[in-house]
Amino acid sequence: MIVILFAIYLIYSLSVLMSKFASLQENELYFLLFYGISLLFLFIYAIGWQIIIKNIPLSVAYPLKVIVIIFGMIFGYFIFKEQITFKMIIGTALIFIGVFYVGKAYE
């Protein structure tokens, strides 16, 4: 189920990616196409999320959503040629540490 959870988070990340592609379009048809694909990914994510929370405790599934940050940085770097800065890495590390400690507090 954890593999499916990460796949669902990847689909969520793809919806954000398609939204960014939509925002870059000057042609209305392409804008609607990318935006529609984004909505389709969100629909798939919503159904997948319901399946996940029936099988994995929410206290486990939701904190793992921070992986979306990593997917976002990877997509930004390889697709949009955005730089991954030291501040981004430190910020991501702090988020992961925070999620880890909050998760440990509720065990």
Side-chain angles (χ1 to χ4, degrees), residues 9 62-71 92 95-96 99:
Y9 287 146
Y62 195 76
L64 292 175
K65 193 172 186 176
V66 298
I67 196 71
V68 172
I69 297 169
I70 301 295
F71 289 146
T92 302
I95 291 169
F96 273 95
V99 168

Side-chain angles (χ1 to χ4, degrees), residues 8 11 39-49:
I8 293 299
I11 290 170
L39 290 175
L40 177 65
F41 281 139
L42 284 174
F43 178 75
I44 294 167
Y45 165 76
I47 291 171
W49 180 248

Side-chain angles (χ1 to χ4, degrees), residues 49 52-63:
W49 180 248
I52 289 296
I53 61 174
K54 286 182 181 179
N55 296 298
I56 297 177
L58 188 59
S59 61
V60 173
Y62 195 76

Side-chain angles (χ1 to χ4, degrees), residues 7-86:
I8 293 299
Y9 287 146
L10 178 62
I11 290 170
Y12 178 77
S13 298
L14 290 173
S15 76
V16 176
L17 179 68
M18 290 298 116
S19 293
K20 185 162 184 171
F21 273 127
S23 71
L24 297 174
Q25 301 305 313
E26 293 181 14
N27 183 326
E28 283 185 35
L29 182 61
Y30 288 130
F31 170 81
L32 292 174
L33 175 68
F34 283 114
Y35 193 69
I37 293 170
S38 175
L39 290 175
L40 177 65
F41 281 139
L42 284 174
F43 178 75
I44 294 167
Y45 165 76
I47 291 171
W49 180 248
Q50 296 303 314
I51 293 168
I52 289 296
I53 61 174
K54 286 182 181 179
N55 296 298
I56 297 177
L58 188 59
S59 61
V60 173
Y62 195 76
L64 292 175
K65 193 172 186 176
V66 298
I67 196 71
V68 172
I69 297 169
I70 301 295
F71 289 146
M73 285 195 309
I74 292 169
F75 288 151
Y77 180 78
F78 286 108
I79 296 173
F80 297 110
K81 307 299 182 212
E82 296 173 347
Q83 293 297 316
I84 297 176
T85 65
F86 183 69

